[in-house]
Amino acid sequence: MHDDEKSVKDSKELTEDRSGVSRRDFLKISTIAAAVPVVAGPKMVMAAGEQVPVHGPGKVPMTFNVNGKSYKATLEPRVTLLDALRDSLDITGAKRVCDKAECGACTVLLDDKAVYACSVLAIEAQGKKITTVEALMEGGKLHPIQQAFVDNDASQCGFCTPGFVVACKAMLDKHPDPTADDLLRELSGNLCRCGTYAGIRGAVAQAARKGA
Amino acid sequence: MPDYQWPDAEHRTLIGKRVARVDSPDKVSGQARYTYDIKRPGMLFGKMLRSPYAHCKVTSVDTSAAEKIPGVKAIEVVQKPGSTIHWAGDEVVAVAAVDEATAEDAIRAIVVKYQKLPHLVSDAEPPEGAGESQGPISMDDLGDMLDNQVPENQIISLIKQYGLSFKPTENDLKEAKEEGVPDAILDAARSAEVHPEAAGKQKSNYQKAASQSQGDVDKAFSEAAAVSEGIYGAPVITHCCMESHGSTSEWIDPDHLFVHMSTQGVSGIAGQMAEPLKIPAANIRVHQDHVGGGFGSKFGPDRWGIATAKLSQKAGGKPVRMMLERDVELQVAGARPSAYAKVKVAAKKDGTLVAWQSRSWGTGGPGGGGMPPIPYCFAAPTQRKEHTAIRNNIGPARAWRAPNHPQAAVLTMSALDDLAAKLNMDPYDFFLKNIELTRLPNVYKEEFPIAAELIGWKEQWHPRGQNISGNIARGVGLSLHTWGGRGHSSDCDLSIHPDGSVDIKMGTQDIGTGTRTCIAVVAADALGLQVKDIKLYIGDTQYPPSGGSGGSTTPGGVSSSTRRAVVDARDALFAKVAPALNAQPDDLEARDGSIRVKNDPSHSISWKEACSKIGATPITTHGHNDQVAAKNKPDLTNSGVGGVQMAAVAVDTETGIVKVTKMVAVQDCGLIIDLRMAESSVMGALIMGISYSLFEEKIMDPTTGRMLNADMEFYRLAGLNDIPELKVHMMTGKGYDERGVIGLGEPPAVSPGAAISNAVANALGVRVGILPLTPDKVLAALNQGSSQKAGA
């Protein structure tokens, strides 16, 4: 798709913006990956005057830190973080809906920043702290944001709910007392079909008051 | 005879209160498991090769290269050479492989050749006189109807009405039976009138679907004080469930299948899979804990569900999961039929509606579809109407929340609102003036003032186009609606155990409407317990069958079966406990976690102690609700509700952007089980309604015949920031509660389109007749309006 220089640049900027993984970070991650034993070691190629490892196309071993636990998996480099979580690690709170960064049902935290897990490569997420909706509960007790969702009946079928809960957590961490503009910016990347927005708005207000 | 009647208001502890959704904690914490989340040991991944053409014949299928790809475990040709395809994206070949990527590689390696046929994806107004009568049914027609899942009774009635153009041989019928065609259809075909002269005649895309008239319409129009004409409509939209359609199938042994399926009708799936898989329904277990939306689109196993089971069979029984990709979900897994009409209506000077005339059309995909119920709610004294169904290649229609009612409301309420404007009447007064033409005048008369108060109608309404400040035009609009909603057939088993625990087993499903909560509230209310004390087992064919969740039939069905089971169980418990309280069973009541003597509450024992007197085996009762009996003698569940909605909008006349600024709904649904679930359902319907009014349309490319916006960026759903302040008022108390439980999913989804369209007309002074009310249409209507004014 991006075969001219400008698009490549744009897509790089998009990557930095969306996932918080810069090209420099990506190289660092790749180097870490290269340091662990691999099935077939990464091929080194010259790119922009630097030696860059190229992984794949076969499966390569990866290590993830999800919800404070370490996981190992052997995956193709093209596997997304969402598919790695759901199909390899059986952590299914993040949902696969649009699979192309349109609906937010797969929202997870990557080093405390909300990202679409469908649009981050698993290999990129190594070395970062990955947090899914499952980790918000502590000692069997719902997180105040989750409790606010329950209290305001902010889920119906519930398929978009985990993504919304995580996006709300990221927003409230950043803006403990969010304005309407904050809501517009931070939650417009999540969609619901049953129509739970009124409940979600109520939940945000409740959680914000409690300083969650 | 046990007294199953709903308790009166004084004796309800939970029914009608705001009780929290029982499965919310699972949903907010990611613990709720959906079909898409099921991962079985050794599971394979299924993918489907789909037709790139909207209308074609499959001429050859070559899977040899795909078979050689390592990791490919099974291939199933779904539509063999010779099959006719009627929409782009239709299923051709299914593949199962060790992972999704390998399955995709295999799909790419399959070579299918097609013979392209002419397609039509437009649902524009049919040319004058294009509608042909439905002639005798050809063999192709019949095959297509079966492929396209046209309901059995509809096929039978068409065969009876029009006959066949061919004489089916016993061999044809035998083959059809083996392919799973129901006996009733085969019997109809066997005894049908045969018209061989009609064979081979090319069928038109346009079919006369209705032509009706009553009264002297022309006289009524000629004598009327005001006549209004307009074109109104609503396009094809999709369901866009967040969890796509799909299933995981595995053969436990060569005769037994275990299916996880994303469905609105757990109890009905096994029966629909049995014939095509050639095993008894009893050998198929279907399970589902949670479903990520359905809205009318998830009642059958679908061709992909059958294919998934066949792939598993070919792969030695290994589990196979196939969930539709998002683009496919939007292309093939559900479309709401479109409806458009040229409407002419007339009234006397005082606003009395005297005549309705409509020439309508629309498409339900290859089957064409029928006329929406117009004029909606208001039975105009004279009527003339004709409808042309467009058979086209836009994809198969499925029921969409309140089938045909939202379209009927747009066609009717927009036309009536324009008529009110012609009369210089406030539509509030105009609709009330004609309210006796509806079936529920007393309900609407109570609801109108409440809705008006909530939105501030009196302060906000003004004659059309007279509230424009700068480039922002403001307006208000209203609509009303009705629905049936009687409870479906439902069975359950309820047990009270000697340790005090209570469980209910029912083969129903909770599609996000609060069905679990509804069951728990009914049971806990009768036993004097809390909802957390009721353990629910639902979503499995191992439990007693309960109807599909469609047509707002679930609350009435599950609450009635639960009520009967729980009253019997409670009475059995009273009989065991009465001696210990020195009382007769009839003198006891269950309240606040105890069993006590009605007139002497100090005389009581705790629930736990009471249950210890049951003995070794639990009390188990069966509850049954019979849909037909409930219709003949309404007791616990009933039918027929009314609702009124009002919308306020702000329209930017420079950009054409419509914002809904406030919306209110006043709704009746008989006896409410859980007020909070009811309010959430109505809120959701308003939000969904804002979405389809402003944004949604399945856009087709006339050249390729494919859907152009099959993703969630260009098939836009309303987001959080498109939703204004919403107010919901549920009608309760006398006149409502005693009617029994009536379903609520559909009715509030009916009116938003008409109410918002009317508000925009009030704001702009011109009508934007066709949904969605997108900027291009708004600007076009404004331009046309100003040129009309300039020309006048």
Side-chain angles (χ1 to χ4, degrees):
Chain A
M1 285 252 304
H2 302 292
D3 49 9
D4 62 69
E5 257 183 40
K6 188 176 169 294
S7 322
V8 171
K9 185 166 159 279
D10 287 347
S11 78
K12 192 199 86 187
E13 281 169 4
L14 202 63
T15 310
E16 286 180 358
D17 189 25
R18 287 248 170 103
S19 70
V21 180
S22 70
R23 182 163 167 275
R24 189 185 299 273
D25 287 342
F26 179 72
L27 292 179
K28 270 193 227 151
I29 295 165
S30 308
T31 319
I32 295 164
V36 300
V38 288
V39 181
K43 198 168 128 192
M44 302 302 285
V45 297
M46 284 297 283
E50 289 179 61
Q51 285 278 330
V52 178
V54 177
H55 297 281
K59 291 183 176 181
V60 296
M62 299 183 200
T63 311
F64 305 105
N65 174 354
V66 188
N67 300 335
K69 275 166 68 178
S70 180
Y71 293 86
K72 285 188 195 318
T74 309
L75 302 168
E76 289 188 52
R78 60 176 166 174
V79 171
T80 63
L81 173 58
L82 178 64
D83 291 355
L85 286 170
R86 293 177 52 82
D87 290 335
S88 298
L89 311 183
D90 205 22
I91 299 169
T92 56
K95 302 299 182 215
R96 197 196 210 189
V97 175
C98 71
D99 211 24
K100 55 191 281 198
E102 293 164 346
C103 75
C106 64
T107 305
V108 299
L109 301 180
L110 205 55
D111 281 349
D112 301 325
K113 190 177 170 186
V115 299
Y116 291 151
C118 73
S119 301
V120 175
L121 289 175
I123 199 167
E124 286 181 295
Q126 296 184 102
K128 291 188 172 281
K129 198 175 80 183
I130 302 160
T131 309
T132 72
V133 69
E134 284 96 336
L136 299 191
M137 271 176 87
E138 271 181 43
K141 199 166 174 290
L142 294 176
H143 185 279
I145 291 169
Q146 294 172 316
Q147 189 59 49
F149 267 66
V150 173
D151 294 345
N152 290 274
D153 202 34
S155 57
Q156 288 190 27
C157 85
F159 211 68
C160 72
T161 306
F164 262 110
V165 167
V166 174
C168 285
K169 163 101 171 62
M171 174 180 72
L172 292 172
D173 286 348
K174 226 186 326 178
H175 311 285
D177 203 2
T179 61
D181 269 2
D182 294 330
L183 251 73
L184 178 69
R185 230 183 359 261
E186 304 286 336
L187 296 182
S188 59
N190 291 67
L191 293 171
C192 165
R193 184 47 152 169
C194 301
T196 57
Y197 297 129
I200 291 168
R201 215 177 262 152
V204 168
Q206 176 181 329
R209 274 199 303 275
K210 286 190 177 163
Chain B
M1 181 71 189
D3 180 13
Y4 297 122
Q5 286 307 305
W6 295 112
D8 55 34
E10 284 163 47
H11 292 90
R12 293 176 210 146
T13 55
L14 294 167
I15 290 174
K17 308 279 193 291
R18 286 191 179 83
V19 179
R21 190 181 294 266
V22 296
D23 48 10
S24 272
D26 287 344
K27 287 178 175 175
V28 301
S29 61
Q31 308 301 313
R33 286 288 248 195
Y34 297 77
T35 302
Y36 215 140
D37 301 330
I38 298 299
K39 186 156 180 264
R40 307 285 297 169
M43 188 175 83
L44 304 173
F45 292 78
K47 287 271 171 191
M48 189 74 79
L49 184 144
R50 296 175 175 278
S51 166
Y53 304 118
H55 191 198
C56 60
K57 252 190 172 35
V58 178
T59 55
S60 70
V61 176
D62 180 0
T63 60
S64 55
E67 286 160 24
K68 295 191 188 88
I69 295 175
V72 173
K73 299 295 183 190
I75 297 180
E76 165 77 13
V77 179
V78 180
Q79 297 202 72
K80 296 185 173 59
S83 305
T84 306
I85 303 280
H86 291 277
W87 58 85
D90 198 6
E91 296 80 35
V92 183
V93 186
V95 168
V98 290
D99 55 32
E100 278 192 288
T102 307
E104 276 161 21
D105 289 345
I107 293 291
R108 276 190 287 270
I110 296 169
V111 183
V112 179
K113 291 200 172 132
Y114 305 91
Q115 179 198 346
K116 280 179 74 179
L117 298 168
H119 65 251
L120 176 74
V121 290
S122 163
D123 59 359
E125 185 182 1
E128 193 74 43
E132 285 183 359
S133 297
Q134 165 78 54
I137 316 277
S138 70
M139 195 183 273
D140 271 357
D141 289 340
L142 189 57
D144 287 350
M145 284 194 278
L146 293 166
D147 282 352
N148 295 329
Q149 299 144 17
V150 173
E152 184 178 324
N153 50 9
Q154 196 180 328
I155 297 180
I156 293 168
S157 87
L158 284 170
I159 294 174
K160 282 189 178 153
Q161 193 176 351
Y162 297 105
L164 299 176
S165 66
F166 65 104
K167 174 87 193 153
T169 65
E170 276 310 310
N171 203 34
D172 292 340
L173 295 167
K174 190 167 152 264
E175 272 180 28
K177 188 175 167 60
E178 279 167 10
E179 281 171 19
V181 179
D183 284 332
I185 293 178
L186 299 176
D187 291 343
R190 199 174 276 121
S191 57
E193 257 183 62
V194 178
H195 308 271
E197 73 287 352
K201 188 169 169 278
Q202 189 66 36
K203 283 234 161 121
S204 157
N205 286 110
Y206 304 104
Q207 184 204 322
K208 265 187 205 158
S211 179
Q212 300 160 8
S213 70
Q214 73 179 55
D216 193 338
V217 190
D218 295 325
K219 182 162 176 275
F221 275 115
S222 67
E223 290 172 0
V227 177
S228 172
E229 288 184 72
I231 300 181
Y232 313 98
V236 172
I237 65 173
T238 83
H239 296 68
C240 195
C241 308
M242 294 300 274
E243 183 189 36
S244 56
H245 288 62
S247 62
T248 296
S249 263
E250 60 191 284
W251 292 80
I252 305 302
D253 64 45
D255 300 314
H256 291 83
L257 181 68
F258 183 26
V259 181
H260 291 81
M261 185 171 287
S262 180
T263 179
Q264 295 175 242
V266 170
S267 299
I269 293 296
Q272 295 178 72
M273 295 186 80
E275 288 271 8
L277 296 174
K278 301 185 174 62
I279 55 169
N283 290 12
I284 302 173
R285 180 181 167 202
V286 180
H287 183 89
Q288 172 188 263
D289 289 327
H290 295 277
V291 50
F295 314 110
S297 69
K298 286 183 180 166
F299 288 110
D302 289 309
R303 205 145 46 194
W304 49 81
I306 303 294
T308 306
K310 287 186 175 174
L311 286 171
S312 168
Q313 197 169 31
K314 285 188 171 174
K318 275 196 170 189
V320 177
R321 177 171 89 196
M322 191 191 297
M323 303 299 293
L324 299 191
E325 301 81 8
R326 182 52 38 181
D327 56 341
V328 175
E329 177 73 17
L330 294 186
Q331 286 167 54
V332 309
R336 185 178 84 175
S338 60
Y340 308 89
K342 284 183 169 165
V343 181
K344 188 175 164 189
V345 278
K348 289 185 195 166
K349 201 169 178 203
D350 66 356
T352 306
L353 178 65
V354 293
W356 168 280
Q357 177 179 294
S358 58
R359 182 167 173 265
S360 56
W361 67 93
T363 185
M371 183 169 71
I374 49 175
Y376 187 58
C377 291
F378 291 93
T382 70
Q383 300 182 19
R384 181 189 297 133
K385 48 199 184 187
E386 58 172 67
H387 183 83
T388 305
I390 304 177
R391 293 192 188 102
N392 72 7
N393 308 101
I394 197 166
R398 292 181 185 218
W400 195 103
R401 210 168 176 177
N404 265 335
H405 282 230
Q407 299 95 313
V410 167
L411 302 184
T412 306
M413 305 304 166
S414 306
L416 295 183
D417 186 75
D418 284 352
L419 182 58
K422 272 251 154 127
L423 288 158
N424 291 318
M425 266 181 96
D426 180 340
Y428 182 93
D429 301 326
F430 175 84
F431 282 105
L432 275 179
K433 172 86 192 162
N434 290 293
I435 210 71
E436 297 299 330
L437 294 175
T438 70
R439 284 191 187 172
L440 299 159
N442 295 334
V443 171
Y444 296 126
K445 274 192 247 177
E446 286 188 19
E447 291 176 336
F448 260 73
I450 299 170
E453 178 74 27
L454 286 173
I455 202 156
W457 184 274
K458 293 273 179 282
E459 301 78 45
Q460 294 207 52
W461 185 82
H462 50 77
R464 282 190 174 183
Q466 291 185 14
N467 186 2
I468 302 181
S469 156
N471 57 331
I472 300 297
R474 293 180 187 276
V476 286
L478 68 84
S479 172
L480 50 90
H481 54 258
T482 186
W483 188 258
R486 190 187 313 282
H488 54 209
S489 292
S490 171
D491 286 77
C492 69
D493 287 333
L494 185 148
S495 293
I496 302 176
H497 296 270
D499 67 347
S501 60
V502 178
D503 64 52
I504 298 174
K505 297 188 173 83
M506 192 192 301
T508 186
Q509 53 282 319
D510 190 330
I511 62 168
T513 45
T515 304
R516 279 188 177 86
T517 316
C518 173
I519 298 167
V521 164
V522 169
D525 185 279
L527 299 177
L529 299 174
Q530 297 301 310
V531 289
K532 67 173 169 52
D533 300 324
I534 312 295
K535 177 89 180 141
L536 294 176
Y537 297 92
I538 68 168
D540 202 301
T541 45
Q542 293 184 334
Y543 308 140
S546 196
S549 289
S552 301
T553 57
T554 307
V558 303
S559 64
S560 299
S561 62
T562 304
R563 175 73 186 166
R564 293 196 178 92
V566 76
V567 166
D568 284 347
R570 183 196 62 194
D571 289 354
L573 180 64
F574 284 168
K576 300 261 187 189
V577 172
L581 289 167
N582 286 326
Q584 293 300 311
D586 284 352
D587 297 333
L588 300 181
E589 65 178 2
R591 197 90 191 220
D592 304 331
S594 67
I595 306 290
R596 64 192 194 190
V597 179
K598 275 179 202 164
N599 299 324
D600 181 9
S602 64
H603 216 98
S604 78
I605 56 172
S606 73
W607 173 260
K608 211 159 166 83
E609 198 189 337
C611 292
S612 72
K613 302 192 183 304
I614 289 172
T617 53
I619 295 169
T620 295
T621 55
H622 186 83
H624 175 63
N625 185 58
D626 185 313
Q627 189 174 19
V628 179
K631 191 173 181 179
N632 295 337
K633 187 177 164 291
D635 52 358
L636 296 175
T637 174
N638 212 325
S639 175
V641 299
V644 174
Q645 293 183 6
M646 295 182 183
V649 300
V651 188
D652 186 322
T653 55
E654 281 180 2
T655 63
I657 292 173
V658 176
K659 282 287 258 186
V660 179
T661 54
K662 186 172 177 177
M663 209 161 164
V664 305
V666 181
Q667 184 66 48
D668 130 54
C669 67
L671 175 67
I672 291 171
I673 298 292
D674 182 337
L675 186 53
R676 158 157 277 179
M677 296 302 104
E679 288 167 340
S680 285
S681 260
V682 180
M683 288 272 185
L686 290 177
I687 290 168
M688 218 168 171
I690 290 170
S691 188
Y692 77 69
S693 301
L694 300 186
F695 308 122
E696 293 182 43
E697 179 172 8
K698 183 175 188 181
I699 299 171
M700 303 299 292
D701 178 4
T703 308
T704 61
R706 294 176 206 162
M707 183 177 177
L708 286 170
N709 56 341
D711 61 33
M712 293 177 77
E713 184 175 6
F714 296 104
Y715 189 91
R716 218 196 128 184
L717 300 180
L720 184 76
N721 297 293
D722 298 309
I723 303 309
E725 182 191 5
L726 305 172
K727 289 248 187 259
V728 173
H729 178 95
M730 300 303 301
M731 302 301 286
T732 55
K734 200 169 170 339
Y736 298 93
D737 292 3
E738 65 271 18
R739 285 157 63 197
V741 179
I742 313 177
L744 182 62
E746 334 286 315
V750 174
S751 271
I756 294 169
S757 178
N758 287 346
V760 169
N762 182 242
L764 297 177
V766 293
R767 168 69 58 179
V768 186
I770 313 276
L771 299 186
L773 305 169
T774 48
D776 56 325
K777 291 202 202 93
V778 169
L779 293 178
L782 280 168
N783 282 337
Q784 213 184 357
S786 57
S787 66
Q788 270 173 8
K789 265 178 209 158

